[in-house]
Amino acid sequence: MLSVVNDDGTTVNRSSLIDEIVREGARGMLAAALEAEVNSYIAELAHEKDEQGRRLVVRNGHHQPRKVTTSAGVVEVRAPRVNDKRIDEATGERQRFSSAILPPWCRKSPKISEVLPLLYLHGLSSGDFVPALEQFLGSSAGLSPATVTRLTQQWQADHQAFGERDLSGSDYIYVWADGIHLRIRLREARSCVLVLMGVRADGTKELIAMSDGYRESADAWGDLLRNCQRRGMRAPVLAVGDGALGFWKALTEVFPQARHQRCWVHKIANVANALPKSAQPGAKKALREIYNAEDRDHALKAVAAFEKTYRAKFPKAVKKITDDTDELLAFYDFPAEHWIHLRITNPIESTFATVRLRTKVTKGAGSAAAALAMVFKLVESAQQRWRAVNAPHLVALVRAGADFKRGILVERSSARAA
């Protein structure tokens, strides 16, 4: 291994030198960002003065050095201090400057907090966190078992608050529903995580609800949907899900106004299971002709062609399509820009793919509440990277009842509008 020789003859391991350079760069950038934040705060309030004309908001040295655990390792910083003499008229107390970059309580970066639930899901106990991360981060600061235990308790509280929040101010026009089998510390071997995601009127995606349910039963889905309804959730215009009868039965009972769209990925898998391997490539190509058709009329012709080709030899496979044609083609009544989003439950599947790959069966101690809280924190982090649906401005029109023919908005004539 290469080493660097200092002037005094000592050597430094090159890998350690690289880490030190990275940490020093991170420390310098963080210090510069904190200085800029304070300078901006003081400059913005430069006009605030007392009766003698002296500024009420000025610099006041630095706080004591603080070690912060980041993905670059442990960085020591000295945050600049502000002397704010202004009085809050509402409370009568002195106003205080609080850094948005480095809050007073912060001892670890959000990225480090994201790693902890991931390790927990992977089966690592709280006592193993320190040796697992100490070598990587260069320190065990802020990673004691007690700290991890407090974090898991906070995550459970966050998940509980999420499940009790008011939904009356959030209008979800489209929703995706799926049961994700992660096999992590849930109540029963056949338990799964029931997930409901939605699209708001501005086109952004959002996690609506998440709970554990037995076998994706109608009762489990009904409990989740009724809970959302009690908290103010409106009926979505369109719900997308797989063929699980439990969800559709519950949706019809709780939100009978919502239209149904079956997921094409799940449907193709179900059809393939009813065919011999030799027939599967041709059948899958024929099915793609259906959901990739130019419009509903062409899709219906593709359904007829599929039925004609496979009905004689594989009636069960054909029945899986013909029995659900209306629910498989519902997306054609919505904006063409949204079709790619509405045909499948990929928004849920893609989010949980990484979680599923990084989890395994664990037989250690742990509750369903703790496991769900860990999953919730991972999804909450992933949610920040979800992109809005295509043509987000059309989502509000869907809620307003606008007509779309062949995926194109039908403009209402002035006479009809009157």
Side-chain angles (χ1 to χ4, degrees), residues 95 130 165 183 187 204 267-268 275 314 324 357 407:
Q95 297 195 28
V130 173
R165 75 194 191 288
R183 301 186 300 173
R187 291 193 300 258
T204 57
K267 178 58 70 174
I268 290 175
L275 294 169
F314 312 110
D324 296 332
L357 288 173

Side-chain angles (χ1 to χ4, degrees), residues 130-174:
V130 173
L133 292 179
E134 186 173 12
Q135 292 297 320
F136 178 72
L137 298 175
S139 171
S140 61
L143 297 173
S144 66
T147 300
V148 175
T149 299
R150 287 194 298 271
L151 280 174
T152 57
Q153 293 173 348
Q154 181 59 51
W155 291 331
Q156 291 182 55
D158 292 344
H159 181 229
Q160 182 177 357
F162 172 80
E164 297 173 354
R165 75 194 191 288
D166 181 21
L167 296 177
S168 59
S170 302
D171 186 15
Y172 302 104
I173 289 74
Y174 302 132

